């Protein structure tokens, strides 16, 4: 049984990391569209660097939750038949034990040099424009995919979905493409599709688990492994 899971900000909400489009809709006082774009970076570089510095620092104050851990358990059970695709730039999946993770929107604890292209792990801040460890020029930016930029890992993601039996979307509002279109690919190859969210999201999924991720993700993993998902009979 091949499984692909797509996660969004909702899986990290109960760990204390803000989602993008929930009630407040603002993100530390900024709309994502106002800071997560190349134009915003060109217009006010320091604001955008500071915005990501704050979010990178926040990672030290949060922990993975039961939903992250349940997906790490599922990977241990399924091995290469499992792929986790996340839109999240936090590292909570890895800290919960997941290894086969595609960060299609990049990662907060990584930076990219605009001059030499180096992609490096990074714990500190960027607002002071530190020199690139590879080329020494002050050209480091968050290694995060902004609106209008091409996501990472698309070939790997499409190759996995072409073979998938079960596709699950966890904690994502399904409004940002290309991730929002993965469920359509899964339907096209005859997969069983599952949505896990606090609200019954849009998008036509065969099965929906409504509730907080820390409750519904462990339950779904248990149902899946016990073969209780009807479509897999
Ligand atoms: N458990 C499960 N789902 C939750 C929880 C929770 N505790 N809390 C919120 N949610 C759901 C919301 O109902 C919503 O559907 O998580 C989803 C969060 O949606 P968004 O805030 O839009 O986040 P996401 O779908 O990850 O956004 C996709 O948009 O801004 C860009 O690049 C950014 O990766 C991000 C992309």
């Amino acid at each position: 049984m091949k499984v692909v899971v797509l996660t969004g900000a909702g899986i990290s909400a109960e760990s204390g990391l803000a989602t993008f489009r929930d009630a407040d809709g603002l993100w530390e006082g900024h709309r994502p569209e106002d800071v997560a774009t190349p134009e915003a970076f060109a217009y006010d570089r320091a604001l955008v660097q500071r915005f990501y510095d704050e979010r990178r620092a926040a990672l030290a104050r949060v922990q993975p939750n039961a939903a992250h851990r349940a997906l790490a358990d599922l990977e241990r059970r399924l091995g290469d038949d499992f792929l986790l695709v996340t839109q999240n730039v936090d590292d909570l999946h890895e800290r919960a034990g997941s290894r086969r993770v595609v960060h299609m929107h990049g990662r907060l604890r990584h930076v990219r040099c605009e001059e030499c292209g180096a992609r490096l792990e990074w714990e500190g801040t960027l607002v002071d424009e530190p020199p690139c460890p590879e080329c020494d020029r002050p050209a480091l930016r968050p290694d995060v995919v902004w609106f209008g930029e091409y996501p990472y890992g698309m070939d790997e993601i499409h190759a996995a979905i072409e073979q998938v039996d079960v596709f699950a979307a966890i904690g994502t509002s399904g409004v940002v493409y290309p991730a929002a279109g993965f469920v359509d690919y899964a339907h096209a190859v005859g997969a069983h599709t599952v949505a896990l969210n606090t609200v019954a999201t849009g998008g036509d999924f065969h099965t929906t688990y409504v509730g907080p991720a820390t409750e519904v993700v462990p339950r779904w993993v248990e149902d899946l492994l016990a073969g209780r998902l009807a479509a897999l009979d």
Side-chain angles (χ1 to χ4, degrees):
M1 171 177 67
K2 294 191 181 309
V3 178
V4 173
V5 170
L6 170 69
T7 60
I11 198 169
S12 298
E14 291 160 90
S15 292
L17 293 180
T19 62
F20 295 86
R21 294 173 186 82
D22 275 339
D24 49 16
L26 288 180
W27 204 15
E28 279 99 31
H30 301 286
R31 286 181 340 109
E33 292 75 8
D34 295 341
V35 285
T37 67
E39 295 75 19
F41 196 52
Y43 177 71
D44 189 343
R45 187 183 178 96
L47 170 82
V48 177
Q49 297 285 38
R50 214 173 20 253
F51 177 70
Y52 285 95
D53 287 352
E54 286 165 13
R55 295 184 56 220
R56 190 175 305 110
L59 290 183
R61 300 192 291 269
V62 296
Q63 297 296 328
N65 63 49
H68 297 106
R69 288 192 294 274
L71 293 182
D73 292 344
L74 184 56
E75 176 183 320
R76 276 189 286 275
R77 293 286 296 274
L78 298 182
D80 292 350
D81 286 340
F82 178 78
L83 183 67
L84 175 54
V85 179
T86 187
Q87 301 172 90
N88 299 341
V89 292
D90 65 56
D91 60 348
L92 294 177
H93 283 305
E94 288 83 357
R95 286 165 56 193
S98 289
R99 290 291 167 269
R100 291 168 54 74
V101 187
V102 177
H103 278 273
M104 62 182 290
H105 289 169
R107 291 171 286 181
L108 268 179
R109 282 183 157 159
H110 283 69
V111 295
R112 176 154 60 85
C113 177
E114 294 182 292
E115 289 290 336
C116 71
R119 292 177 67 194
L120 309 151
E121 290 197 21
W122 193 263
E123 289 297 330
T125 58
L126 291 180
V127 70
D128 302 323
E129 300 299 340
C132 167
E134 302 286 322
C135 73
D136 214 28
R137 280 168 285 185
L140 294 174
R141 59 162 275 183
D143 190 15
V144 170
V145 176
W146 287 330
F147 288 98
E149 296 183 329
Y150 200 74
Y152 287 125
M154 293 304 288
D155 292 346
E156 183 180 2
I157 295 166
H158 283 145
I161 294 181
E162 271 164 24
Q163 313 286 327
V164 78
D165 298 305
V166 177
F167 174 81
I170 302 173
T172 181
S173 57
V175 298
V176 173
Y177 285 80
F182 292 161
V183 62
D184 301 327
Y185 281 115
H187 283 146
V189 297
H192 181 81
T193 58
V194 189
L196 298 93
N197 198 304
T198 40
V199 298
T201 46
D204 51 347
F205 289 82
H206 293 116
T207 308
T208 303
Y209 287 67
V210 180
T214 53
E215 283 172 32
V216 294
V217 176
R219 180 153 30 101
W220 168 67
V221 168
E222 199 183 315
D223 289 349
L224 183 74
L225 293 176
R228 283 197 287 271
L229 273 186
L232 295 184
D233 292 342

